[in-house]
Amino acid sequence: QYPLQAGGGASDKYIFNYVAGTLTVTKVPLVIALENLTQSFTGQGLAPDLKTNLPDLALTLTYNGSAVRPVLPGNYAVVGTINDTNYVGNANGSLVITKAAQTITFDALTHVTFGGAPFDLTATTTAPLSVSLVSSNLNVATISGTKVTIIGAGETTITASQEGNSNYNAAVSVSRTLTVNKAAATVALSNLAQTYSATAKNPTATTSPVASLPVSFAYTPGSATAPINVGSYGVTATINHPNYAGSA
């Protein structure tokens, strides 16, 4: 506001009475636009975009009455205000901070062999959270933390998951197949020359490194039936075990 005082009038016919006045210049109202009101958690303070049709104006934002930018997921009442000597305006809105997404990285698994030492798996997520690993077939492998212990030959599905928390949504689980191959074993055949006795004859099979593994015999000419008659027979001995493989 500006005070005004008139004066300086001159006339030989009139007497001037001067009345003081006030000139009021009001601020120009401007429209404020609040944009980018939905954002994802980043661990840092977040703010919407506050725009007017004039650049370089001083603008302030409050969140639930505080000037501190919010960090955690939630809804925050936002008030944007122009702080300028010549312009005025404000806007109200709601800033929504959503949980952040996370992605698991869990590479394909190489084949391992029964009898191998326990080993660690690596599965990570884009969030600062730990990943859980679960084996679908405990007869093949068990998992404690990230360490895998081989129980038997076969296949198991290992699933990496992360359930999320107050700041992160659950990740999409990633599953990989772990194949455990049978361990190699050797078969040594002996007692290959025998005398006819009208009874079926089988050679003797010795296995290692594990003794007394079950072995089946196949004969040529012929079949799996042990030969009785005098003759020369080709013999193949094959280990029949869930965790070992080998033949002679």
mmCIF file of all heavy atoms in Angstrom, residues 105-154:
data_model
loop_
_atom_site.group_PDB
_atom_site.id
_atom_site.type_symbol
_atom_site.label_atom_id
_atom_site.label_comp_id
_atom_site.label_asym_id
_atom_site.label_seq_id
_atom_site.Cartn_x
_atom_site.Cartn_y
_atom_site.Cartn_z
ATOM 1 N N THR A 105 18.410 -61.716 -9.235
ATOM 2 C CA THR A 105 19.349 -62.286 -10.200
ATOM 3 C C THR A 105 19.835 -63.623 -9.646
ATOM 4 O O THR A 105 20.421 -63.683 -8.560
ATOM 5 C CB THR A 105 20.545 -61.358 -10.435
ATOM 6 O OG1 THR A 105 20.075 -60.112 -10.979
ATOM 7 C CG2 THR A 105 21.530 -61.989 -11.411
ATOM 8 N N PHE A 106 19.561 -64.698 -10.402
ATOM 9 C CA PHE A 106 19.937 -66.052 -9.970
ATOM 10 C C PHE A 106 20.275 -66.827 -11.235
ATOM 11 O O PHE A 106 19.400 -67.237 -11.984
ATOM 12 C CB PHE A 106 18.773 -66.694 -9.215
ATOM 13 C CG PHE A 106 19.064 -68.045 -8.622
ATOM 14 C CD1 PHE A 106 20.342 -68.401 -8.213
ATOM 15 C CD2 PHE A 106 18.045 -68.974 -8.465
ATOM 16 C CE1 PHE A 106 20.605 -69.643 -7.669
ATOM 17 C CE2 PHE A 106 18.280 -70.214 -7.918
ATOM 18 C CZ PHE A 106 19.564 -70.556 -7.522
ATOM 19 N N ASP A 107 21.555 -66.989 -11.511
ATOM 20 C CA ASP A 107 22.005 -67.587 -12.758
ATOM 21 C C ASP A 107 21.725 -69.093 -12.802
ATOM 22 O O ASP A 107 21.536 -69.746 -11.770
ATOM 23 C CB ASP A 107 23.496 -67.340 -12.956
ATOM 24 C CG ASP A 107 23.813 -65.861 -13.159
ATOM 25 O OD1 ASP A 107 22.909 -65.127 -13.592
ATOM 26 O OD2 ASP A 107 24.952 -65.457 -12.867
ATOM 27 N N ALA A 108 21.711 -69.612 -14.036
ATOM 28 C CA ALA A 108 21.530 -71.050 -14.232
ATOM 29 C C ALA A 108 22.636 -71.819 -13.510
ATOM 30 O O ALA A 108 23.765 -71.339 -13.360
ATOM 31 C CB ALA A 108 21.530 -71.378 -15.723
ATOM 32 N N LEU A 109 22.298 -73.028 -13.078
ATOM 33 C CA LEU A 109 23.223 -73.828 -12.263
ATOM 34 C C LEU A 109 23.936 -74.870 -13.120
ATOM 35 O O LEU A 109 23.322 -75.490 -13.998
ATOM 36 C CB LEU A 109 22.454 -74.522 -11.138
ATOM 37 C CG LEU A 109 21.648 -73.594 -10.224
ATOM 38 C CD1 LEU A 109 20.844 -74.405 -9.223
ATOM 39 C CD2 LEU A 109 22.581 -72.627 -9.500
ATOM 40 N N THR A 110 25.205 -75.057 -12.876
ATOM 41 C CA THR A 110 25.966 -76.093 -13.569
ATOM 42 C C THR A 110 25.702 -77.448 -12.912
ATOM 43 O O THR A 110 25.343 -77.528 -11.734
ATOM 44 C CB THR A 110 27.471 -75.789 -13.532
ATOM 45 O OG1 THR A 110 27.885 -75.684 -12.167
ATOM 46 C CG2 THR A 110 27.774 -74.482 -14.244
ATOM 47 N N HIS A 111 25.890 -78.511 -13.694
ATOM 48 C CA HIS A 111 25.710 -79.852 -13.153
ATOM 49 C C HIS A 111 26.799 -80.163 -12.133
ATOM 50 O O HIS A 111 27.943 -79.724 -12.262
ATOM 51 C CB HIS A 111 25.759 -80.888 -14.279
ATOM 52 C CG HIS A 111 24.587 -80.793 -15.202
ATOM 53 N ND1 HIS A 111 24.250 -81.793 -16.090
ATOM 54 C CD2 HIS A 111 23.647 -79.836 -15.377
ATOM 55 C CE1 HIS A 111 23.178 -81.442 -16.774
ATOM 56 N NE2 HIS A 111 22.808 -80.247 -16.357
ATOM 57 N N VAL A 112 26.427 -80.915 -11.111
ATOM 58 C CA VAL A 112 27.391 -81.361 -10.109
ATOM 59 C C VAL A 112 27.308 -82.879 -10.014
ATOM 60 O O VAL A 112 26.445 -83.509 -10.630
ATOM 61 C CB VAL A 112 27.128 -80.714 -8.734
ATOM 62 C CG1 VAL A 112 27.329 -79.207 -8.798
ATOM 63 C CG2 VAL A 112 25.725 -81.053 -8.238
ATOM 64 N N THR A 113 28.212 -83.456 -9.254
ATOM 65 C CA THR A 113 28.287 -84.911 -9.151
ATOM 66 C C THR A 113 28.094 -85.349 -7.705
ATOM 67 O O THR A 113 28.599 -84.699 -6.779
ATOM 68 C CB THR A 113 29.644 -85.410 -9.667
ATOM 69 O OG1 THR A 113 29.793 -85.005 -11.033
ATOM 70 C CG2 THR A 113 29.738 -86.933 -9.591
ATOM 71 N N PHE A 114 27.370 -86.445 -7.546
ATOM 72 C CA PHE A 114 27.157 -87.001 -6.207
ATOM 73 C C PHE A 114 28.506 -87.249 -5.529
ATOM 74 O O PHE A 114 29.450 -87.731 -6.148
ATOM 75 C CB PHE A 114 26.376 -88.312 -6.303
ATOM 76 C CG PHE A 114 26.230 -89.024 -4.995
ATOM 77 C CD1 PHE A 114 25.323 -88.592 -4.048
ATOM 78 C CD2 PHE A 114 27.043 -90.116 -4.698
ATOM 79 C CE1 PHE A 114 25.217 -89.241 -2.828
ATOM 80 C CE2 PHE A 114 26.941 -90.771 -3.483
ATOM 81 C CZ PHE A 114 26.017 -90.328 -2.542
ATOM 82 N N GLY A 115 28.555 -86.923 -4.240
ATOM 83 C CA GLY A 115 29.798 -87.080 -3.492
ATOM 84 C C GLY A 115 30.609 -85.815 -3.414
ATOM 85 O O GLY A 115 31.605 -85.768 -2.679
ATOM 86 N N GLY A 116 30.219 -84.795 -4.185
ATOM 87 C CA GLY A 116 30.958 -83.539 -4.148
ATOM 88 C C GLY A 116 30.743 -82.801 -2.842
ATOM 89 O O GLY A 116 29.768 -83.018 -2.115
ATOM 90 N N ALA A 117 31.652 -81.892 -2.531
ATOM 91 C CA ALA A 117 31.591 -81.124 -1.295
ATOM 92 C C ALA A 117 30.446 -80.119 -1.346
ATOM 93 O O ALA A 117 30.012 -79.700 -2.426
ATOM 94 C CB ALA A 117 32.913 -80.393 -1.075
ATOM 95 N N PRO A 118 29.922 -79.714 -0.194
ATOM 96 C CA PRO A 118 28.910 -78.654 -0.174
ATOM 97 C C PRO A 118 29.437 -77.390 -0.855
ATOM 98 O O PRO A 118 30.640 -77.124 -0.844
ATOM 99 C CB PRO A 118 28.667 -78.423 1.322
ATOM 100 C CG PRO A 118 29.025 -79.728 1.964
ATOM 101 C CD PRO A 118 30.194 -80.248 1.161
ATOM 102 N N PHE A 119 28.540 -76.634 -1.445
ATOM 103 C CA PHE A 119 28.955 -75.425 -2.159
ATOM 104 C C PHE A 119 27.912 -74.339 -1.952
ATOM 105 O O PHE A 119 26.765 -74.592 -1.568
ATOM 106 C CB PHE A 119 29.136 -75.721 -3.660
ATOM 107 C CG PHE A 119 27.899 -76.233 -4.341
ATOM 108 C CD1 PHE A 119 27.020 -75.374 -4.977
ATOM 109 C CD2 PHE A 119 27.609 -77.601 -4.330
ATOM 110 C CE1 PHE A 119 25.877 -75.858 -5.604
ATOM 111 C CE2 PHE A 119 26.477 -78.094 -4.956
ATOM 112 C CZ PHE A 119 25.600 -77.218 -5.591
ATOM 113 N N ASP A 120 28.336 -73.099 -2.213
ATOM 114 C CA ASP A 120 27.454 -71.940 -2.017
ATOM 115 C C ASP A 120 26.835 -71.509 -3.330
ATOM 116 O O ASP A 120 27.457 -71.582 -4.396
ATOM 117 C CB ASP A 120 28.228 -70.768 -1.418
ATOM 118 C CG ASP A 120 28.559 -70.986 0.045
ATOM 119 O OD1 ASP A 120 27.623 -71.266 0.812
ATOM 120 O OD2 ASP A 120 29.745 -70.896 0.411
ATOM 121 N N LEU A 121 25.596 -71.026 -3.248
ATOM 122 C CA LEU A 121 24.902 -70.428 -4.376
ATOM 123 C C LEU A 121 24.876 -68.913 -4.189
ATOM 124 O O LEU A 121 24.921 -68.408 -3.074
ATOM 125 C CB LEU A 121 23.467 -70.948 -4.466
ATOM 126 C CG LEU A 121 23.299 -72.431 -4.785
ATOM 127 C CD1 LEU A 121 21.815 -72.806 -4.752
ATOM 128 C CD2 LEU A 121 23.897 -72.768 -6.145
ATOM 129 N N THR A 122 24.789 -68.211 -5.307
ATOM 130 C CA THR A 122 24.705 -66.753 -5.270
ATOM 131 C C THR A 122 23.412 -66.303 -5.914
ATOM 132 O O THR A 122 23.172 -66.568 -7.097
ATOM 133 C CB THR A 122 25.894 -66.102 -5.998
ATOM 134 O OG1 THR A 122 27.113 -66.500 -5.363
ATOM 135 C CG2 THR A 122 25.778 -64.586 -5.968
ATOM 136 N N ALA A 123 22.570 -65.661 -5.125
ATOM 137 C CA ALA A 123 21.331 -65.060 -5.629
ATOM 138 C C ALA A 123 21.205 -63.693 -4.975
ATOM 139 O O ALA A 123 21.307 -63.568 -3.755
ATOM 140 C CB ALA A 123 20.126 -65.933 -5.302
ATOM 141 N N THR A 124 21.008 -62.661 -5.777
ATOM 142 C CA THR A 124 20.946 -61.300 -5.264
ATOM 143 C C THR A 124 19.675 -60.616 -5.730
ATOM 144 O O THR A 124 19.005 -61.069 -6.664
ATOM 145 C CB THR A 124 22.160 -60.482 -5.721
ATOM 146 O OG1 THR A 124 22.164 -60.431 -7.164
ATOM 147 C CG2 THR A 124 23.455 -61.104 -5.242
ATOM 148 N N THR A 125 19.347 -59.530 -5.060
ATOM 149 C CA THR A 125 18.199 -58.718 -5.455
ATOM 150 C C THR A 125 18.622 -57.261 -5.520
ATOM 151 O O THR A 125 19.613 -56.867 -4.890
ATOM 152 C CB THR A 125 17.027 -58.881 -4.472
ATOM 153 O OG1 THR A 125 15.987 -57.959 -4.797
ATOM 154 C CG2 THR A 125 17.471 -58.641 -3.046
ATOM 155 N N THR A 126 17.885 -56.475 -6.271
ATOM 156 C CA THR A 126 18.200 -55.056 -6.401
ATOM 157 C C THR A 126 17.874 -54.277 -5.133
ATOM 158 O O THR A 126 18.283 -53.126 -4.998
ATOM 159 C CB THR A 126 17.432 -54.449 -7.583
ATOM 160 O OG1 THR A 126 16.030 -54.774 -7.462
ATOM 161 C CG2 THR A 126 17.949 -54.997 -8.903
ATOM 162 N N ALA A 127 17.142 -54.893 -4.203
ATOM 163 C CA ALA A 127 16.881 -54.272 -2.905
ATOM 164 C C ALA A 127 17.965 -54.691 -1.917
ATOM 165 O O ALA A 127 18.593 -55.737 -2.091
ATOM 166 C CB ALA A 127 15.505 -54.696 -2.390
ATOM 167 N N PRO A 128 18.172 -53.906 -0.865
ATOM 168 C CA PRO A 128 19.171 -54.290 0.155
ATOM 169 C C PRO A 128 18.594 -55.335 1.107
ATOM 170 O O PRO A 128 18.568 -55.148 2.327
ATOM 171 C CB PRO A 128 19.457 -52.962 0.859
ATOM 172 C CG PRO A 128 18.178 -52.203 0.738
ATOM 173 C CD PRO A 128 17.606 -52.566 -0.610
ATOM 174 N N LEU A 129 18.147 -56.438 0.544
ATOM 175 C CA LEU A 129 17.500 -57.503 1.307
ATOM 176 C C LEU A 129 18.121 -58.840 0.935
ATOM 177 O O LEU A 129 18.673 -58.988 -0.158
ATOM 178 C CB LEU A 129 15.998 -57.533 1.019
ATOM 179 C CG LEU A 129 15.218 -56.236 1.318
ATOM 180 C CD1 LEU A 129 13.789 -56.342 0.799
ATOM 181 C CD2 LEU A 129 15.221 -55.943 2.808
ATOM 182 N N SER A 130 18.002 -59.803 1.815
ATOM 183 C CA SER A 130 18.566 -61.129 1.551
ATOM 184 C C SER A 130 17.567 -61.990 0.794
ATOM 185 O O SER A 130 16.350 -61.846 0.944
ATOM 186 C CB SER A 130 18.969 -61.813 2.856
ATOM 187 O OG SER A 130 17.849 -61.950 3.711
ATOM 188 N N VAL A 131 18.091 -62.911 -0.011
ATOM 189 C CA VAL A 131 17.279 -63.809 -0.827
ATOM 190 C C VAL A 131 17.213 -65.174 -0.151
ATOM 191 O O VAL A 131 18.224 -65.678 0.354
ATOM 192 C CB VAL A 131 17.876 -63.938 -2.243
ATOM 193 C CG1 VAL A 131 17.101 -64.950 -3.076
ATOM 194 C CG2 VAL A 131 17.882 -62.571 -2.929
ATOM 195 N N SER A 132 16.026 -65.773 -0.153
ATOM 196 C CA SER A 132 15.846 -67.118 0.408
ATOM 197 C C SER A 132 15.954 -68.159 -0.698
ATOM 198 O O SER A 132 15.452 -67.946 -1.811
ATOM 199 C CB SER A 132 14.477 -67.235 1.083
ATOM 200 O OG SER A 132 14.383 -66.357 2.183
ATOM 201 N N LEU A 133 16.602 -69.279 -0.394
ATOM 202 C CA LEU A 133 16.778 -70.366 -1.352
ATOM 203 C C LEU A 133 16.151 -71.636 -0.788
ATOM 204 O O LEU A 133 16.379 -71.991 0.368
ATOM 205 C CB LEU A 133 18.259 -70.599 -1.631
ATOM 206 C CG LEU A 133 19.005 -69.435 -2.291
ATOM 207 C CD1 LEU A 133 20.505 -69.664 -2.242
ATOM 208 C CD2 LEU A 133 18.543 -69.254 -3.732
ATOM 209 N N VAL A 134 15.353 -72.338 -1.622
ATOM 210 C CA VAL A 134 14.654 -73.545 -1.185
ATOM 211 C C VAL A 134 14.823 -74.619 -2.244
ATOM 212 O O VAL A 134 14.698 -74.359 -3.448
ATOM 213 C CB VAL A 134 13.149 -73.265 -0.956
ATOM 214 C CG1 VAL A 134 12.414 -74.552 -0.607
ATOM 215 C CG2 VAL A 134 12.968 -72.237 0.153
ATOM 216 N N SER A 135 15.104 -75.855 -1.792
ATOM 217 C CA SER A 135 15.217 -77.009 -2.685
ATOM 218 C C SER A 135 13.899 -77.775 -2.675
ATOM 219 O O SER A 135 13.334 -78.044 -1.615
ATOM 220 C CB SER A 135 16.356 -77.920 -2.240
ATOM 221 O OG SER A 135 16.354 -79.129 -2.966
ATOM 222 N N SER A 136 13.424 -78.153 -3.867
ATOM 223 C CA SER A 136 12.150 -78.867 -3.965
ATOM 224 C C SER A 136 12.290 -80.353 -3.673
ATOM 225 O O SER A 136 11.302 -81.020 -3.353
ATOM 226 C CB SER A 136 11.550 -78.674 -5.362
ATOM 227 O OG SER A 136 12.359 -79.303 -6.348
ATOM 228 N N ASN A 137 13.479 -80.895 -3.801
ATOM 229 C CA ASN A 137 13.693 -82.335 -3.614
ATOM 230 C C ASN A 137 14.815 -82.534 -2.602
ATOM 231 O O ASN A 137 16.000 -82.473 -2.944
ATOM 232 C CB ASN A 137 14.033 -83.005 -4.944
ATOM 233 C CG ASN A 137 14.061 -84.518 -4.840
ATOM 234 O OD1 ASN A 137 14.094 -85.074 -3.751
ATOM 235 N ND2 ASN A 137 14.068 -85.191 -5.987
ATOM 236 N N LEU A 138 14.420 -82.807 -1.364
ATOM 237 C CA LEU A 138 15.421 -82.946 -0.303
ATOM 238 C C LEU A 138 16.170 -84.263 -0.392
ATOM 239 O O LEU A 138 17.159 -84.455 0.332
ATOM 240 C CB LEU A 138 14.741 -82.820 1.060
ATOM 241 C CG LEU A 138 14.019 -81.483 1.312
ATOM 242 C CD1 LEU A 138 13.437 -81.450 2.706
ATOM 243 C CD2 LEU A 138 14.942 -80.300 1.083
ATOM 244 N N ASN A 139 15.732 -85.168 -1.251
ATOM 245 C CA ASN A 139 16.489 -86.402 -1.485
ATOM 246 C C ASN A 139 17.666 -86.172 -2.425
ATOM 247 O O ASN A 139 18.537 -87.032 -2.559
ATOM 248 C CB ASN A 139 15.585 -87.487 -2.058
ATOM 249 C CG ASN A 139 14.542 -87.953 -1.058
ATOM 250 O OD1 ASN A 139 14.842 -88.110 0.119
ATOM 251 N ND2 ASN A 139 13.322 -88.162 -1.519
ATOM 252 N N VAL A 140 17.658 -85.024 -3.088
ATOM 253 C CA VAL A 140 18.753 -84.672 -3.994
ATOM 254 C C VAL A 140 19.679 -83.646 -3.356
ATOM 255 O O VAL A 140 20.902 -83.791 -3.389
ATOM 256 C CB VAL A 140 18.201 -84.152 -5.345
ATOM 257 C CG1 VAL A 140 19.329 -83.613 -6.219
ATOM 258 C CG2 VAL A 140 17.460 -85.267 -6.068
ATOM 259 N N ALA A 141 19.106 -82.591 -2.776
ATOM 260 C CA ALA A 141 19.943 -81.547 -2.173
ATOM 261 C C ALA A 141 19.165 -80.818 -1.100
ATOM 262 O O ALA A 141 17.955 -80.603 -1.224
ATOM 263 C CB ALA A 141 20.423 -80.559 -3.235
ATOM 264 N N THR A 142 19.874 -80.430 -0.052
ATOM 265 C CA THR A 142 19.311 -79.564 0.982
ATOM 266 C C THR A 142 20.069 -78.242 0.969
ATOM 267 O O THR A 142 21.203 -78.165 0.483
ATOM 268 C CB THR A 142 19.416 -80.212 2.376
ATOM 269 O OG1 THR A 142 20.792 -80.446 2.684
ATOM 270 C CG2 THR A 142 18.656 -81.537 2.415
ATOM 271 N N ILE A 143 19.426 -77.196 1.511
ATOM 272 C CA ILE A 143 20.042 -75.874 1.520
ATOM 273 C C ILE A 143 19.929 -75.289 2.919
ATOM 274 O O ILE A 143 18.866 -75.313 3.542
ATOM 275 C CB ILE A 143 19.373 -74.926 0.508
ATOM 276 C CG1 ILE A 143 19.474 -75.494 -0.913
ATOM 277 C CG2 ILE A 143 20.010 -73.544 0.554
ATOM 278 C CD1 ILE A 143 18.777 -74.649 -1.950
ATOM 279 N N SER A 144 21.032 -74.768 3.408
ATOM 280 C CA SER A 144 21.057 -74.011 4.655
ATOM 281 C C SER A 144 21.670 -72.653 4.353
ATOM 282 O O SER A 144 22.863 -72.556 4.043
ATOM 283 C CB SER A 144 21.878 -74.744 5.718
ATOM 284 O OG SER A 144 21.958 -73.978 6.907
ATOM 285 N N GLY A 145 20.841 -71.615 4.389
ATOM 286 C CA GLY A 145 21.322 -70.300 3.971
ATOM 287 C C GLY A 145 21.585 -70.308 2.480
ATOM 288 O O GLY A 145 20.668 -70.441 1.673
ATOM 289 N N THR A 146 22.855 -70.192 2.106
ATOM 290 C CA THR A 146 23.225 -70.266 0.691
ATOM 291 C C THR A 146 24.003 -71.536 0.360
ATOM 292 O O THR A 146 24.379 -71.743 -0.789
ATOM 293 C CB THR A 146 24.087 -69.047 0.297
ATOM 294 O OG1 THR A 146 25.293 -69.044 1.080
ATOM 295 C CG2 THR A 146 23.342 -67.746 0.528
ATOM 296 N N LYS A 147 24.232 -72.384 1.371
ATOM 297 C CA LYS A 147 25.073 -73.562 1.161
ATOM 298 C C LYS A 147 24.224 -74.775 0.788
ATOM 299 O O LYS A 147 23.256 -75.121 1.463
ATOM 300 C CB LYS A 147 25.915 -73.866 2.396
ATOM 301 C CG LYS A 147 26.976 -74.945 2.155
ATOM 302 C CD LYS A 147 27.905 -75.058 3.335
ATOM 303 C CE LYS A 147 28.776 -73.820 3.487
ATOM 304 N NZ LYS A 147 29.717 -73.644 2.348
ATOM 305 N N VAL A 148 24.626 -75.443 -0.296
ATOM 306 C CA VAL A 148 23.935 -76.623 -0.804
ATOM 307 C C VAL A 148 24.721 -77.878 -0.409
ATOM 308 O O VAL A 148 25.934 -77.937 -0.606
ATOM 309 C CB VAL A 148 23.801 -76.565 -2.335
ATOM 310 C CG1 VAL A 148 23.112 -77.817 -2.868
ATOM 311 C CG2 VAL A 148 23.028 -75.323 -2.743
ATOM 312 N N THR A 149 23.999 -78.848 0.125
ATOM 313 C CA THR A 149 24.599 -80.143 0.432
ATOM 314 C C THR A 149 23.943 -81.200 -0.443
ATOM 315 O O THR A 149 22.715 -81.320 -0.473
ATOM 316 C CB THR A 149 24.398 -80.511 1.914
ATOM 317 O OG1 THR A 149 25.041 -79.518 2.726
ATOM 318 C CG2 THR A 149 25.007 -81.876 2.221
ATOM 319 N N ILE A 150 24.773 -81.944 -1.175
ATOM 320 C CA ILE A 150 24.262 -82.982 -2.068
ATOM 321 C C ILE A 150 23.880 -84.215 -1.253
ATOM 322 O O ILE A 150 24.674 -84.725 -0.462
ATOM 323 C CB ILE A 150 25.316 -83.352 -3.133
ATOM 324 C CG1 ILE A 150 25.679 -82.116 -3.958
ATOM 325 C CG2 ILE A 150 24.802 -84.469 -4.020
ATOM 326 C CD1 ILE A 150 24.510 -81.476 -4.655
ATOM 327 N N ILE A 151 22.661 -84.694 -1.487
ATOM 328 C CA ILE A 151 22.166 -85.877 -0.790
ATOM 329 C C ILE A 151 22.148 -87.091 -1.712
ATOM 330 O O ILE A 151 22.469 -88.214 -1.304
ATOM 331 C CB ILE A 151 20.755 -85.625 -0.232
ATOM 332 C CG1 ILE A 151 20.755 -84.395 0.681
ATOM 333 C CG2 ILE A 151 20.238 -86.848 0.510
ATOM 334 C CD1 ILE A 151 21.675 -84.496 1.868
ATOM 335 N N GLY A 152 21.776 -86.896 -2.954
ATOM 336 C CA GLY A 152 21.698 -88.012 -3.893
ATOM 337 C C GLY A 152 21.650 -87.502 -5.317
ATOM 338 O O GLY A 152 21.464 -86.309 -5.580
ATOM 339 N N ALA A 153 21.833 -88.419 -6.258
ATOM 340 C CA ALA A 153 21.772 -88.058 -7.677
ATOM 341 C C ALA A 153 20.323 -87.815 -8.080
ATOM 342 O O ALA A 153 19.391 -88.364 -7.498
ATOM 343 C CB ALA A 153 22.380 -89.165 -8.522
ATOM 344 N N GLY A 154 20.146 -86.970 -9.080
ATOM 345 C CA GLY A 154 18.808 -86.649 -9.571
ATOM 346 C C GLY A 154 18.693 -85.169 -9.862
ATOM 347 O O GLY A 154 19.690 -84.480 -10.086
#
